[in-house]
Amino acid sequence: MAEVLTHTTQATASHPEELNYLNENRGLKSWLFTVDHKRIGVMYFWTIMLMFFIGGVLALVLRTELLTPKQTIVDAATYNQLFTLHGAIMTFMVLVPLIPATLGNFAMPIMLGAKDVAFPRLNLASYYVYVCGAIMAVSAILGGGLDTGWTFYTPYSSTTGGGVSVMTMAAFVLGFSSILTGVNFIATIHKLRAPGMTWYNMPLFIWGMYATSVIQVLATPVIGITMVLLLMERLFQIGIFDANLGGDPVLFQHFFWFYSHPVVYIMILPGMAIISEVIPTFSQKPIFGYKPIAWSSVGIAVVGFLVWGHHMFVSGQSEFAAAVFSFITFLVAIPSGVKIWNWMATMYRGSISLKAPMLYAISFLLLFGIGGLTGLFLGTLAVDVHLHDTYFVVAHFHYVMMGGTLIAFFAGVHYWWPKMFGRMYNETWAAIACLLVFLGFNGTFLPQFILGSRGMPRRYYNYLDQFQFLHVSSTIGSYVLGVGLIMMAVVLIAPLMRKRYDAPSNPWGGASLEWTVSSPAPTHNFHHDPVVTHGPYDYKAARAAEKAGSHA
Amino acid sequence: MSDIAMPSGGAHDHGHAHDHPKFLQHHFHSAKQQFEASKLGMWLFLVTEILLFSGLFLAYFMLQARHPEAFISAHHHLDRTMGLVNTVVLLISSFTMVMAVQSAALSRTKATLAYLYVTLGLGGTFMVIKYFEYMHKIHDGLLPGNLYSYAGASVPGEYLFFSMYFVMTGIHGIHILAGMGVIAYLIYRTHKGDYSSAYYTPVDLTGLYWHLVDLIWIYLFPLLYLVS
Amino acid sequence: MSHQEHNAALSSHHEENHVHDHTKYYIATIAALFVLTAITVGAAQIHFGSNFVNLMIAMAIATVKATLVALFFMHLRWEKGMNAIVFLSSIFFVGVFMVFTFLDIESRVTIEAATAEDGSVAGVAPQDMPLYVKAPAQAGEGEAHANGAGAETKAEGEAKPEGEAKH
């Protein structure tokens, strides 16, 4: 395998200044008015990373406040604003668009053998809609402030002052961006596959993006109407969510969670989709159980719509409904389990290469495993009564959203970085950064399971003395995590300072279509329409094709 | 660089830029593929509209279930005749819209224009009738939420009905106005001669949207005006 | 006009777009829609037992009308299945949304219903209840009973421990 890689490196190094999507058209306007999915993906990438940085800084401030049981650096009202912002930014502005809009936009059309997504102008529009929504959200924060928690529960959110009204509109706008991406991807996957690429011949990344897009299209409008109704309630007291006016605050929660539960699957399915690419490639072995993994994505998408009430076990929802939701929640864990077993089976007796993408992927297996399993504790109705609104919940969702989605995202970024920017990063430092992230993450959130099960409530800025040790551990972990993330950023950005695009077309020995084009990708993806002759995990055939192709 | 295989026929090779119609975008192989992708995209957008309105219907059902007498009493204030006329107006506009789409598909420009103008006019008629209905309510103080100021005898909680009435018909009305805007644009493009059997996608997609807005009214009308 | 001819000429090189004249179907559909509208109005005058049944009948007739619009005006009758699948799946999820929410709303037990004669609520004796929950009889005349539903939800809302009131 090493000889094949060297062979490829030689072949591409003979054309160092070939035009690609980065250098073919220059100038700010060529970026701002681009309809190239790759450039749109890159613009999304930097914008979302900026929001991630802001959300991360907020988290570090929160953790610093929690170093002591009483007030440390901020007062209670400020603390409420901080966790609201951290949550709103991380969910709406980072995690929802994260993988679809960045890596999905960049890689998916190439993987399909297409020249672009189905609706390129709509794609650009989705980016600008996102930027508008983000600006509106920032205005809400700077204008009136927001302390309702990212969940906006009524009647507090329908009666309190501050920037809630503007924030509801920001969320509506951001939702639109998500919908446009979803519509685009579904049409692209249905209509723009290369000849020879049947549904069962697509990389599993595409199946994951498809399932994600279905959820985006079906669920997002409901948060849209929820925000509209909340705005109406604030402006006109229409009486829908406020019990004093004849409405039902639990109805708000039904509306909110009908979207917000599927949204967590919008977050995790693309992450799982990346893992389905990274693990086989770095095991040089076809994925185990292609069809079960493909259909489990669809299964998660569908069943994920049936469980939202598990966020409402103690809200005043009826016991009967709670029991039904709890039962179905157990079912939704099954397809996720299928994936984990299949990924592990893929690695078994594979030729494992522990490069950075694989290190993150293996971290994902452990961290998402913990996150997913702790979800079952919370899905158990009787147990949730004690764990609801404690740090156990906080730990659970950070394990799945950060330990799951974000770690998978990092795996995907390290995987496709050469294709996006044409340079390789330093493997050793990337591995060190991964280790710091892994240790820091566990250091931050593992203690929180214990805190929660011992009764530490979430969203509290002060606490009983007995919790201090675990809080301090968690905060120290968060600092390590922060250092690790910054190191990772430096590792990835440093090579971008080099002028030469010296990355090979296929540094990892991948078998899907994006590895057959140069790094960075050419502007139109393919010079001639590709015809698919082998499956996306047929590494043997891919190596043979590469050998044959390099003689041309 | 290195592709997996070179296709044998030239059918997919669009290297020469001027050989294909203006409207065919470079990433599509054929007009048919582009047309079908556009329609699928439109249907997906309609799905989002359906889910959007479903929240409103659910809220209405829930409030009605909790305040049945208030809702029964409140809906008597609605003018059934105006509602019925509006229903008929929208149904006819759906007919004229689909005839416009068909005319464009059959390259009958004059007919397309005629049907589009009538559809636009009917949409306007709907909004005018709506305007009169709203004026009547405003005059009586039958308004949503904290604007409610009806002085006559009423069951407590009637304002909840009007909250939902205005939010639902209001959002529906905004959709009608947006549709009218797009139809006006289609009229302009049709005058320019941009649509024919080769390419009438925008007319088709607008038609789908217009029919959905009609569909929503088909449910709104009995719910708000008729159920007692 | 030249655009049209140009495009039509070019498209003939690609594939023939056979567009059929479906006018008679459209006319039949609009006629049926008028009839169904009349039936809707008529059915609203008749009382079929309860409000719920009246509502269901009105919705059923509306669904027939909607099906006609979707099948004929929106062309699903003459197209491949995918668009119809997309449309129907949205209906399915709307159904899920409504059914599950109503499952909750209709199966709630109000505090009044759960209060026994001795003042215990759902089996909890009055002296064992946390201080902030008052049985309706003890609540006093402060509760506005303008809408009965409001009072129940308020009482249920108060049953949550203080920490959670923070949302």
Side-chain angles (χ1 to χ4, degrees):
Chain A
M1 193 179 115
E3 75 187 280
V4 176
L5 286 178
T6 332
H7 209 99
T8 324
T9 316
Q10 279 177 347
T12 49
S14 59
H15 301 281
E17 280 319 303
E18 211 177 82
L19 287 177
N20 56 62
Y21 83 100
L22 286 172
N23 62 14
E24 187 162 347
N25 298 304
R26 294 186 184 274
L28 187 64
K29 271 168 69 166
S30 77
W31 279 88
L32 293 181
F33 296 108
T34 185
V35 289
D36 179 355
H37 65 96
K38 300 182 288 299
R39 287 192 164 196
I40 294 173
V42 168
M43 290 198 292
Y44 258 117
F45 175 75
W46 294 115
T47 313
I48 295 178
M49 286 300 100
L50 173 66
M51 303 310 297
F52 175 61
F53 176 74
I54 296 173
V57 167
L58 289 168
L60 289 176
V61 175
L62 288 172
R63 285 298 341 152
T64 306
E65 165 57 38
L66 291 167
L67 276 173
T68 75
K70 299 283 175 280
Q71 176 170 334
T72 315
I73 51 172
V74 294
D75 64 4
T78 310
Y79 187 85
N80 292 350
Q81 301 231 4
L82 290 175
F83 70 66
T84 303
L85 297 182
H86 168 75
I89 290 177
M90 288 305 201
T91 54
F92 291 125
M93 277 160 269
V94 177
L95 284 168
V96 168
L98 183 65
I99 296 171
T102 61
L103 298 173
N105 252 326
F106 184 86
M108 192 186 70
I110 316 180
M111 290 168 100
L112 282 177
K115 289 198 155 82
D116 210 315
V117 289
F119 312 120
R121 289 169 299 190
L122 210 64
N123 205 7
L124 184 68
S126 85
Y127 173 69
Y128 282 119
V129 170
Y130 170 82
V131 171
C132 276
I135 291 176
M136 286 170 75
V138 171
S139 318
I141 292 161
L142 297 175
L146 216 56
D147 63 348
T148 57
W150 81 275
T151 44
F152 295 119
Y153 278 7
T154 57
Y156 183 62
S157 64
S158 57
T159 53
T160 189
V164 178
S165 295
V166 179
M167 194 56 162
T168 59
M169 296 190 282
F172 187 87
V173 170
L174 287 166
F176 238 102
S177 173
S178 188
I179 285 175
L180 293 179
T181 302
V183 168
N184 223 334
F185 283 10
I186 294 177
T188 305
I189 296 169
H190 271 278
K191 287 290 170 201
L192 288 176
R193 278 169 286 133
M197 191 177 288
T198 61
W199 280 87
Y200 288 135
N201 232 345
M202 297 192 307
L204 284 167
F205 180 72
I206 317 284
W207 276 93
M209 299 312 304
Y210 185 79
T212 305
S213 302
V214 167
I215 306 178
Q216 279 176 302
V217 166
L218 286 170
T220 316
V222 176
I223 195 69
I225 197 67
T226 309
M227 294 292 107
V228 168
L229 287 172
L230 179 59
L231 187 64
M232 295 293 110
E233 185 82 312
R234 286 177 63 80
L235 295 177
F236 300 113
Q237 279 92 53
I238 55 173
I240 173 172
F241 298 136
D242 193 336
N244 286 324
L245 300 169
D248 183 0
V250 179
L251 186 70
F252 176 85
Q253 296 186 32
H254 278 295
F255 272 61
F256 181 83
W257 289 112
F258 182 81
Y259 164 74
S260 299
H261 187 79
V263 92
V264 311
Y265 296 115
I266 291 176
M267 298 173 194
I268 196 63
L269 280 173
M272 294 169 156
I274 293 176
I275 303 300
S276 292
E277 295 304 312
V278 171
I279 286 193
T281 301
F282 289 87
S283 310
Q284 284 291 295
K285 190 166 158 265
I287 190 108
F288 183 89
Y290 177 98
K291 282 191 191 171
I293 295 188
W295 285 103
S296 68
S297 295
V298 177
I300 290 173
V302 172
V303 181
F305 272 98
L306 308 177
V307 299
W308 78 85
H310 66 222
H311 298 268
M312 299 162 56
F313 284 152
V314 296
S315 64
Q317 178 178 249
S318 79
E319 269 186 34
F320 175 66
V324 169
F325 281 121
S326 173
F327 177 73
I328 304 177
T329 302
F330 286 102
L331 297 181
V332 83
I334 296 173
S336 297
V338 163
K339 287 186 198 271
I340 301 246
W341 293 121
N342 283 6
W343 290 323
M344 295 194 332
T346 305
M347 288 173 69
Y348 179 66
R349 299 183 76 156
S351 170
I352 310 281
S353 161
L354 290 176
K355 298 273 164 60
M358 188 58 160
L359 293 175
Y360 280 106
I362 295 173
S363 305
F364 174 92
L365 290 181
L366 182 66
L367 299 177
F368 177 73
I370 293 176
L373 289 173
T374 51
L376 290 173
F377 287 99
L378 293 168
T380 309
L381 181 48
V383 174
D384 185 71
V385 172
H386 299 277
L387 294 178
H388 179 77
D389 263 356
T390 67
Y391 259 80
F392 195 94
V393 179
V394 175
H396 156 72
F397 67 66
H398 280 93
Y399 264 88
V400 282
M401 296 212 262
M402 186 168 195
T405 303
L406 224 30
I407 294 288
F409 173 70
F410 297 149
V413 166
H414 284 81
Y415 185 54
W416 279 304
W417 198 254
K419 193 61 58 184
M420 288 169 78
F421 297 109
R423 291 92 149 187
M424 301 297 290
Y425 46 82
N426 184 300
E427 216 14 89
T428 313
W429 282 106
I432 296 174
C434 177
L435 181 66
L436 279 179
V437 166
F438 181 83
L439 292 175
F441 176 85
N442 281 301
T444 311
F445 294 108
L446 211 47
Q448 293 186 4
F449 282 123
I450 306 170
L451 274 171
S453 59
R454 287 186 183 169
M456 170 73 204
R458 63 185 286 200
R459 295 175 170 170
Y460 275 41
Y461 93 120
N462 58 5
Y463 50 82
L464 301 174
D465 290 337
Q466 67 217 49
F467 293 131
Q468 182 166 24
F469 174 71
L470 288 168
H471 268 300
V472 171
S473 314
S474 176
T475 302
I476 293 174
S478 74
Y479 294 154
V480 173
L481 176 58
V483 169
L485 289 172
I486 291 180
M487 188 184 290
M488 184 190 75
V490 172
V491 165
L492 287 172
I493 294 175
L496 301 190
M497 306 295 138
R498 300 201 300 262
K499 291 284 177 216
R500 272 194 62 185
Y501 299 119
D502 51 13
S505 319
N506 196 353
W508 318 121
S512 39
L513 282 174
E514 77 271 30
W515 304 112
T516 65
V517 303
S518 56
S519 300
T523 307
H524 295 293
N525 297 346
F526 302 96
H527 296 302
H528 307 279
D529 293 332
V531 177
V532 175
T533 53
H534 63 75
Y537 304 108
D538 194 341
Y539 298 102
K540 249 171 93 172
R543 287 197 289 272
E546 219 158 272
K547 267 208 171 103
S550 61
H551 287 306
Chain B
M1 253 200 57
S2 50
D3 296 319
I4 295 197
M6 294 266 291
S8 48
H12 297 292
D13 203 310
H14 281 289
H16 20 289
H18 301 290
D19 201 43
H20 57 79
K22 217 164 60 107
F23 58 83
L24 182 62
Q25 296 179 46
H26 79 285
H27 55 287
F28 284 111
H29 291 152
S30 68
K32 181 162 178 280
Q33 187 193 35
Q34 180 175 306
F35 179 64
E36 287 176 356
S38 301
K39 282 202 84 155
L40 178 60
M42 192 64 200
W43 272 105
L44 290 166
F45 175 67
L46 295 185
V47 163
T48 68
E49 294 280 21
I50 291 172
L51 266 298
L52 187 93
F53 277 94
S54 76
L56 290 174
F57 280 98
L58 178 59
Y60 180 90
F61 285 138
M62 197 253 15
L63 282 174
Q64 185 186 41
R66 300 177 83 105
H67 307 278
E69 310 87 20
F71 269 56
I72 293 174
S73 163
H75 109 273
H76 286 308
H77 292 292
L78 292 187
D79 188 331
R80 277 192 186 188
T81 315
M82 280 177 135
L84 182 62
V85 169
N86 258 353
T87 306
V88 170
V89 161
L90 266 193
L91 288 176
I92 300 176
S93 79
S94 256
F95 173 77
T96 56
M97 186 72 221
V98 75
M99 291 304 291
V101 174
Q102 184 172 262
S103 306
L106 293 170
S107 296
R108 297 176 191 159
T109 312
K110 285 216 180 77
T112 309
L113 273 176
Y115 282 119
L116 283 177
Y117 271 118
V118 174
T119 310
L120 189 64
L122 289 171
T125 309
F126 180 92
M127 292 312 294
V128 165
I129 296 179
K130 205 99 232 86
Y131 168 80
F132 282 117
E133 278 192 274
Y134 276 15
M135 283 293 113
H136 197 213
K137 303 271 172 320
I138 294 172
H139 180 256
D140 284 347
L142 295 161
L143 289 168
N146 57 14
L147 302 171
Y148 186 82
S149 59
Y150 185 62
S154 58
V155 176
E158 268 193 28
Y159 68 91
L160 292 167
F161 174 84
F162 290 101
S163 293
M164 291 315 299
Y165 170 80
F166 276 99
V167 171
M168 293 172 90
T169 59
I171 294 181
H172 179 260
I174 290 172
H175 280 83
I176 295 265
L177 286 173
M180 284 171 63
V182 176
I183 292 174
Y185 173 72
L186 288 181
I187 290 174
Y188 162 71
R189 291 283 299 270
T190 312
H191 269 297
K192 274 176 61 182
D194 285 349
Y195 303 131
S196 68
S197 59
Y199 177 69
Y200 60 96
T201 311
V203 190
D204 199 318
L205 299 189
T206 308
L208 284 176
Y209 172 84
W210 192 257
H211 294 129
L212 185 82
V213 178
D214 183 27
L215 264 183
I216 290 165
W217 183 260
I218 285 175
Y219 281 95
L220 270 185
F221 169 59
L223 201 61
L224 293 175
Y225 290 81
L226 295 184
V227 182
S228 64
Chain C
M1 279 304 187
S2 63
H3 284 253
Q4 210 184 5
E5 287 166 357
H6 178 69
N7 291 339
L10 281 167
S11 89
S12 66
H13 289 307
H14 295 258
E15 54 283 303
E16 280 308 307
N17 225 357
H18 286 293
V19 179
H20 301 283
D21 192 318
H22 289 136
T23 311
K24 57 180 197 263
Y25 288 98
Y26 300 145
I27 294 181
T29 306
I30 187 72
L33 287 170
F34 284 151
V35 169
L36 286 165
T37 306
I39 295 178
T40 316
V41 176
Q45 322 283 21
I46 310 172
H47 286 289
F48 292 100
S50 69
N51 277 332
F52 180 72
V53 175
N54 263 64
L55 180 67
M56 285 298 110
I57 290 180
M59 291 294 106
I61 302 174
T63 304
V64 174
K65 289 163 80 174
T67 311
L68 288 174
V69 170
L71 274 177
F72 294 104
F73 284 170
M74 297 173 94
H75 232 245
L76 288 178
R77 165 89 170 67
W78 298 291
E79 279 176 10
K80 290 187 282 205
M82 193 63 215
N83 294 336
I85 292 174
V86 166
F87 178 60
L88 289 173
S89 68
S90 74
I91 307 295
F92 171 73
F93 284 103
V94 169
V96 165
F97 189 24
M98 295 201 180
V99 166
F100 277 63
T101 305
F102 261 93
L103 205 69
D104 166 35
I105 290 171
E106 292 302 311
S107 64
R108 286 190 200 160
V109 179
T110 65
I111 286 210
E112 282 94 350
T115 307
E117 301 227 340
D118 60 358
S120 67
V121 180
V124 180
Q127 60 268 26
D128 297 329
M129 273 192 277
L131 290 172
Y132 42 77
V133 171
K134 287 181 276 188
Q138 299 160 354
E141 75 287 10
E143 305 283 22
H145 278 275
N147 8 75
E152 345 166 322
T153 344
K154 202 161 165 200
E156 278 174 82
E158 284 169 352
K160 293 187 299 193
E162 247 186 27
E164 270 145 334
K166 261 207 155 238
H167 337 135

